[in-house]
Amino acid sequence: MSSLPLPLALTARLSPVVVLAVAGWALSSGPAATANSGPAPTSQASAGASAAPAASSAAPAVKTYDAAPAPCTGVPVATLKSLVPGAKTTGKEIPSTDSKLRRTCSWNALKGYDYRWLDVSYEVTASDDAAEKEYQQRVSEKSGGGAVPGLGDGGYSVVNLNTEDKQQTREGVVLARAANALVVVTYSGSDFESKKAPETSEINKGAIKAAKEAVASLRGGAK
C-alpha cells in the first residue's frame, strides 16, 4: 500500500522537530563532538554473548514404528478361513488418505446365509504418548466394553447389536495400542435366513483373536 501524504497541520507540527533534529546532528558530528568522543564500550557485547540461552537438551520422541505395515498379511490364513468362511484370504486393502500413517484391509463373504466381515487397521502416531491419548479417547467413545488383558500395551473390546429392517447384525470392535501404533479390528456377522445375529461370545472371541495376531504381526515386523 502506498503512503498517504501527511496533512498540512501535522506537517507544520513536525517541522520544528525536524529543525531541532538537524541542529542536534550538526552538534554531534562537529569538531567538538569528535574531540569528546571515546572508544565504544565493549562490556555490553561481552554481556550479551555470555547471556546467550543454552541449547535445549530435550531428546526427540522415540518412535518404534515409522509407518503402518501391510494390513492384509496381519492375520494368518487359517484364522481368516475360520472367521470369514469363503472369503479370499488375500483380502482387499482400502484406499487411505495417508498410507504411511494408516492402512486397512478388509475381508467379507456370504457362505450360505451366513455373512461375515472383518477389518484390520494399523495406525501410526508421532509417539507413545500420542497413541495412548488417542487410544483412551476412542475407548471413552465406545462404552459398554471391557479391557482385554495381554493385548499389546493396552486392549479393549466392545460388542453391539444392530437391527435394521428386522435383520440383526452383531459387531465387535477391538482397540489395541502397541508403542506408538494402534490396531483396530472390526468383526461382524449376520444370518440372512433366521435374521438373527451370531452370539456375542462368537463375535467377541473372533475379534480378539484377530487383534492379538495383528499385534503380534506388527511387533514381529518392527525394525
Side-chain angles (χ1 to χ4, degrees):
M1 179 181 297
S2 60
S3 302
L4 297 176
L6 292 173
L8 293 177
L10 183 57
T11 303
R13 291 181 181 180
L14 293 177
S15 296
V17 176
V18 173
V19 172
L20 290 175
V22 172
W25 173 83
L27 291 174
S28 62
S29 60
T34 303
N36 294 330
S37 61
T42 59
S43 58
Q44 290 184 353
S46 301
S50 61
S56 175
S57 59
V62 177
K63 292 178 62 176
T64 303
Y65 308 105
D66 292 322
C72 293
T73 57
V75 179
V77 171
T79 299
L80 294 172
K81 289 181 176 180
S82 172
L83 297 182
V84 195
K88 293 181 178 180
T89 56
T90 52
K92 180 180 180 181
E93 185 163 355
I94 299 174
S96 173
T97 54
D98 191 339
S99 58
K100 183 177 180 180
L101 300 181
R102 177 174 181 172
R103 297 179 70 177
T104 301
C105 192
S106 181
W107 299 263
N108 63 87
L110 177 64
K111 186 173 183 179
Y113 294 98
D114 286 332
Y115 183 71
R116 295 292 185 274
W117 185 298
L118 175 68
D119 283 349
V120 174
S121 296
Y122 291 109
E123 302 177 25
V124 173
T125 65
S127 65
D128 288 17
D129 289 342
E132 176 64 16
K133 183 178 180 180
E134 181 66 20
Y135 170 79
Q136 293 296 341
Q137 175 64 30
R138 296 193 191 187
V139 167
S140 68
E141 294 171 354
K142 296 184 178 294
S143 60
V148 181
L151 180 56
D153 296 316
Y156 177 86
S157 71
V158 61
V159 179
N160 290 307
L161 177 65
N162 303 311
T163 303
E164 185 175 352
D165 295 332
K166 298 182 179 180
Q167 174 63 58
Q168 293 182 344
T169 299
R170 202 176 302 276
E171 179 184 85
V173 177
V174 177
L175 303 171
R177 182 181 76 81
N180 65 304
L182 296 177
V183 178
V184 184
V185 170
T186 303
Y187 181 50
S188 61
S190 300
D191 186 325
F192 291 130
E193 182 178 31
S194 67
K195 293 191 178 294
K196 300 294 184 180
E199 294 295 326
T200 299
S201 59
E202 177 185 343
I203 295 298
N204 192 44
K205 288 179 180 179
I208 291 175
K209 180 177 178 61
K212 286 184 175 181
E213 292 176 340
V215 169
S217 177
L218 172 70
R219 286 179 164 174
K223 296 181 181 180

